[in-house]
Amino acid sequence: MSKQDAPGQHVRRLGHTAYQAAVRLAVVAGVFCLIVVAVLVGNALRAQSLNIYDQTRPLDREERDLLEYASRLADQQARYLDPAQTGRRLTAEEQEFLRRAQELARARRLAMLKMTLQMDEADEAVLEEVRAYDAELRARYQTSLRLTETGRWLLMVGGAAFLVSLLTIGAYRAVQMPPTERPPGSEVQQQTARFARWSVAGAAVAVISVAFLAGLFRPPTGLYAALGPDDQPPEIAEEPTPQPPVGDPAENWPGFRGPSGLGVAYWTDMPRSWDGESGENIRWKTAIPLPGNNSPVVWEDRVFLSGATETEREIYCFDADTGELLWRRRVENVPRSPTELPEIMDMTGYAAPTMATDGARAYAIFANGDLAAVDFEGNVVWQRNLGLPDNRYGHASSLITHGQKLIVQYDQGNVPEDGLARIIAFDGATGDIVWEQTDRPVRDSWSSPSIIEVDETPQLITTAAPWVIAYDPTSGAELWRANCLRNVDAAPSPTYVGGLLFVCNEGMPLIGIRPTGTGDVTESHVVWEAGEHMPDTASPIGTDGMVFTVSGVWLNCYGIEEEDMLWEHGFDQLFYASPIRVGDHIYVIDSRGTARIFRPSKEGYQETASPELGEGVSASPAFVRGRIYVRGEKHLYCIEKPTE
Amino acid sequence: MTGHGKTALKIVLVLAAIGAGIWVGSTVSPPPEVEEVEAPERRVPRPELPEDYREPVTEHPPPRSMTLEYLDVGLLLAALAAASLLALKWRSRAGIFVLMVGCLVYFGFVRKGCVCPIGAIQHASEGLAGGFVVPITVLAFLLLPLVFALFVGRVFCSSVCPLGAVQELALVRPLKVPRWLEEGLGLFAYIYLGLAVLLASTGALYIICQYDPFVSIFRLSGNFQILVLGGLVLLVSMFVGRPYCRFLCPLSVLLRGGSKVAVTSASITPDECVQCRLCEDACPYNAIRAPAEPTHDRRTGKVSLGLLLLALPAIVALGAWLGGLSSESLAGTHHTVRQARAVRAEESLATAGMSDEVEAFRLTRRPVRELYDREAELLGQFRRRAVLFGGWVGLVIGMKLVLLSMRRTRTDYEAEPGQCVACGRCFRHCPREHLRLARRRGDVEPEEQTE
């Protein structure tokens, strides 16, 4: 259409009706497309807010303050700008402000509805209101979708018209020029080839640079390679080869309440008199750097403790003979350790759980969920964080070992339905999870697991409201469970005597369970019940047809055959530490540091001695090879009879 | 190469293509056993609902019937045949345009751009790597354009490809991209092809589909990024002819290769070139080559060519090394590797909270070791294949430099077969074409035909 056109024809064509129509169409279609795009973008932005889940998500404090302020302001403004009162029409700006204020008020209302729902699920009126709002949002969203659907078709039609008009304009404006003089093809080819080689070389350099950069900044693959430049990886022992433990767990004090966590000492020849003030029978006394309520753990010539504050967490190793602090290991740079502090009760502290040892390594857990394994020289073998515990009073459950496995009872949540409670067994040498039980319909607890032998089969016993659950410590398989912990605060650990497992909680009776069943044994194996004032912290201890509990200032004796309380004896101080059976005596230390050493008897309280430590005590003592290790508020004591 | 030799080569190539297709479609390893996955609506706990609540039945739309799939293949075949006739025999730009619009409507808007021969490269790659058995219809979509390219050039690009059609329609004011720049930019299509094969064969990503700038146009929807990408490519297409086809399209790499040895292909002139130069600027895609005679010192040319040929293995080796170097970054495109890295970071970093990837993994209750083992296996795959990918890129760069150092003698204005998309825009610029049309209309006496 063009090669034969004379230059004058080109000018005439620009005045052609079709050409002018194409120009007008291009303008109209272009403006139309712009309007449609603007509407679609606005609609897309509005659609983002039509999500009830976003609108009912938990608000942080800043958002709550903002909403509160905006709502108050909106109320004031609404009254001030009410046309019925002022007699004038609202400006567009004022209307927009009011609309926004209404949205904010609604958001606050939704947040309140959500809170109400969380507290009372059965409130049908609240549910109806939420459903109504959900339906409204859905309707608005559907409208938005229809608008989008219509808009994109309009945009396509408009875009097509715009393109067609542009192509038409282009065709009319096309000016075909006669060929100009050009250098010979060979020269052009030569020059083009030269430049093209440089162009290819440039592209190659770009590709090489990208590949090199990709190689240079390749993602980390090592276990701790994801740490930032300022984060130092924890000092991991280079060769954490498992060392065969020297010593028998039964002859040591490997965890809370001794071997298996049952509060029974292997060694029976223990001192019964001492005086912390005068130093009588005190072999040594060493200051503990950081506070903690955990009890001493003893393996051969080592005594382990942990201490922590809000910001520091440490493990200590003392020489059992001299009390010398052999090493202290700061637990830091733990992978995934939260920066947020756990909410704890002051009495619980940041190092309440007692450590555990398997003879090769010592393990410690802290209130923020940091779990560390160290060898006996203080080298970190592994460490990890179990997640910030959601625990009302702060995590306090002590660790326990079974063979080379470390078992952690990590119960959390306000209600069992939270599904946060779990019990985990780690490979002590590597920190790998050996098994994990999350089917624990319990809430947060402070009790420590213990292991009992039933028909020569070990059972790992855990107590947390409302269930007592027994697991196979080797595989983690659940053996049985009993729904019998009626109060929500589960802190004491069980005691096992006379074929009965005794569990208790503050504000409920002492319960006896026959640990021989499978599945839910609530109806079939919960066979014993007596008393009503159970301890809130200290664990019971059983012996010779009796179970003793220390609750508040009271020492209670229950007869197993009698299924009743036989006697009670009052003291002037509270008990936090758990009583320990040592041979034919029971030792229990009150919160001021006075030990009550008594011979168990159904007849009444028969005190043998009541030596004073001279320092408050919350932790349970350890009894190993004729020595008693007691953690006071600030010191670790070793009590021993003088050698004759 | 003699005419018989070329024909024999083409037959061999066609047979090889068909053989490869059959092999991919039938002899690849059977699909791995798929774990029984719970229906999506049961992967989350069922909320507590009133007893009288009637749970809606989840609808699973049936897959497209095989009849329709075969119909698509038939339509593709018919469109390719029509495009061949229109470009080579009837030389009708108007016909090509109409066919192009028709194919855009069907393969683009009706079929939503899927499956397309460009994306089918990935299916074939994953199928060859043992990922799954490639459906025969998908293979047909990949092989038919290639087979046609071997016989009649890039007729698929001319009027069947919906992606090309969008760009063709959007071209309002074509600007000339200098040839030298085009050579450099053209490399990226080869790299993109290699990358797409690498990522698809490892099961990581269908990058061509994921970053298809036109799919949002065909489906009239898309996320923000893809809409922006589509808009940008469309904007560039208004001034630069078919930028995606020329500088990115992986299929064009294969079609270019096929077209270069094609039996015949679209030509500017219907019979002979009269060297009028009227078609010099007719092609917006820089496909027309002017006549040229080698004038420079042949000895210098031979030396530089020899040096480049000697350097070629080194360039390939460098590419392979760089490919290996970037393998871990490339592996990050695989979801399993990303998940393993997220889990590792979550276990290693002092971070609160949990990413979706980590949470998803934790919900499976599978041991971390299993995830890490799978990651290690994938990293090994990526390492091996990234070396090949790097080698491919090195080879392409080296060969491009070699080819640019070779001198070609050309006596007429010709459409370079590899570059020409057979769009027919140049037909009307040729006076011989006007003569042909006039002759057909009877406006020209038969004796004038020889002028």
Side-chain angles (χ1 to χ4, degrees), chain A residues 305-327:
Chain A
L305 281 179
S306 65
T309 62
E310 283 183 0
T311 53
E312 294 173 295
R313 288 165 285 280
E314 291 185 333
I315 297 171
Y316 308 111
C317 177
F318 301 88
D319 186 312
D321 292 328
T322 63
E324 182 192 353
L325 178 58
L326 295 174
W327 50 260

Side-chain angles (χ1 to χ4, degrees), chain B residues 58-288:
Chain B
T58 307
E59 291 179 11
H60 299 282
R64 191 172 162 81
S65 74
M66 281 311 292
T67 311
L68 290 174
E69 296 281 341
Y70 287 125
L71 178 69
D72 285 346
V73 174
L75 283 174
L76 176 70
L77 188 62
L80 285 167
S84 306
L85 290 170
L86 286 165
L88 276 71
K89 186 170 173 59
W90 299 328
R91 295 176 58 82
S92 168
R93 166 67 186 161
I96 290 171
F97 188 87
V98 170
L99 180 63
M100 181 180 74
V101 173
C103 288
L104 171 65
V105 170
Y106 184 72
F107 292 114
F109 289 98
V110 176
R111 296 292 295 117
K112 312 279 185 199
C114 190
V115 55
C116 77
I118 306 171
I121 292 171
Q122 301 164 118
H123 295 87
S125 304
E126 194 174 0
L128 275 172
F132 61 91
V133 175
V134 184
I136 193 76
T137 49
V138 174
L139 265 184
F141 260 76
L142 174 62
L143 292 179
L144 282 175
L146 290 176
V147 171
F148 270 79
L150 284 168
F151 283 98
V152 290
R154 294 173 64 179
V155 289
F156 171 75
C157 305
S158 74
S159 46
V160 185
C161 177
L163 279 67
V166 171
Q167 297 168 86
E168 181 94 23
L169 288 174
L171 187 59
V172 173
R173 192 174 180 81
L175 302 174
K176 205 88 171 169
V177 177
R179 275 283 314 282
W180 60 267
L181 181 60
E182 177 145 2
E183 294 288 354
L185 293 175
L187 271 183
F188 292 104
Y190 291 85
I191 296 169
Y192 198 34
L193 171 66
L195 189 65
V197 170
L198 168 70
L199 298 182
S201 68
T202 48
L205 178 69
Y206 276 21
I207 192 172
I208 300 172
C209 300
Q210 190 147 332
Y211 297 100
D212 181 348
F214 304 102
V215 77
S216 56
I217 297 169
F218 301 146
R219 299 180 185 182
L220 298 175
S221 68
N223 63 34
F224 179 74
Q225 290 90 338
I226 209 74
L227 283 172
V228 169
L229 181 67
L232 282 175
V233 174
L234 212 54
L235 189 69
V236 174
S237 303
M238 291 172 76
F239 307 102
V240 177
R242 294 185 179 236
Y244 183 81
C245 304
R246 288 155 76 189
F247 310 128
L248 267 183
C249 179
L251 184 66
S252 77
V253 171
L254 304 177
L255 295 179
R256 272 180 224 176
S259 297
K260 281 183 181 171
V261 293
V263 175
T264 181
S265 58
S267 63
I268 306 167
T269 177
D271 38 36
E272 59 176 339
C273 177
V274 294
Q275 309 251 347
C276 63
R277 295 179 56 202
L278 289 171
C279 65
E280 258 181 358
D281 297 319
C283 183
Y285 313 124
N286 264 352
I288 296 177

Side-chain angles (χ1 to χ4, degrees), chain A residues 152 167 180 182 185-186 189-190 192 195-197 199 207 214-215 218-219 221-223 226-227 335-336 438, chain B residues 171 179-180 184 191 220-221 277 280-281 291 293 295-296 325 328-329 341 344 346-349 365 404 408:
Chain A
R152 59 194 188 187
L167 288 169
T180 53
R182 282 192 176 179
S186 55
Q189 188 191 42
Q190 201 173 337
T192 302
F195 286 169
R197 281 195 295 272
S199 168
V207 172
R218 62 177 178 272
T221 50
L223 182 59
L227 288 171
R336 285 183 57 215
T438 53
Chain B
L171 187 59
R179 275 283 314 282
W180 60 267
I191 296 169
L220 298 175
S221 68
R277 295 179 56 202
E280 258 181 358
D281 297 319
E293 288 282 341
T295 55
H296 69 290
L325 195 67
E328 286 190 11
S329 294
R341 285 173 181 168
R344 183 178 292 110
E346 193 247 4
E347 292 204 332
S348 309
L349 274 176
R365 296 190 176 277
L404 284 169
R408 287 189 180 81

Side-chain angles (χ1 to χ4, degrees), chain B residues 262-417:
Chain B
V263 175
T264 181
S265 58
S267 63
I268 306 167
T269 177
D271 38 36
E272 59 176 339
C273 177
V274 294
Q275 309 251 347
C276 63
R277 295 179 56 202
L278 289 171
C279 65
E280 258 181 358
D281 297 319
C283 183
Y285 313 124
N286 264 352
I288 296 177
R289 302 284 181 269
E293 288 282 341
T295 55
H296 69 290
D297 178 12
R298 283 177 65 86
R299 192 172 181 280
T300 312
K302 280 182 177 174
V303 169
S304 59
L305 182 63
L307 286 174
L308 277 169
L309 283 170
L310 283 174
L312 187 60
I315 297 171
V316 173
L318 176 68
W321 177 71
L322 283 167
L325 195 67
S326 54
S327 62
E328 286 190 11
S329 294
L330 289 166
T333 53
H334 198 288
H335 54 90
T336 305
V337 176
R338 274 204 310 278
Q339 191 174 47
R341 285 173 181 168
V343 169
R344 183 178 292 110
E346 193 247 4
E347 292 204 332
S348 309
L349 274 176
T351 52
M354 198 183 275
S355 68
D356 289 346
E357 282 165 329
V358 177
E359 194 175 357
F361 173 73
R362 299 286 185 214
L363 283 172
T364 64
R365 296 190 176 277
R366 288 182 177 158
V368 176
R369 178 59 50 202
E370 192 181 290
L371 179 68
Y372 288 168
D373 287 347
R374 176 67 183 138
E375 181 202 19
E377 186 188 331
L378 284 167
L379 282 175
Q381 268 185 18
F382 266 95
R383 249 176 241 120
R384 290 188 294 275
R385 292 176 194 180
V387 166
L388 291 175
F389 165 57
W392 158 256
V393 174
L395 180 69
V396 167
I397 292 171
M399 283 306 293
K400 197 86 175 174
L401 291 171
V402 166
L403 291 173
L404 284 169
S405 300
M406 292 170 75
R407 302 289 169 219
R408 287 189 180 81
T409 305
R410 198 178 293 110
T411 53
D412 295 330
Y413 281 88
E414 291 173 359
E416 207 280 308

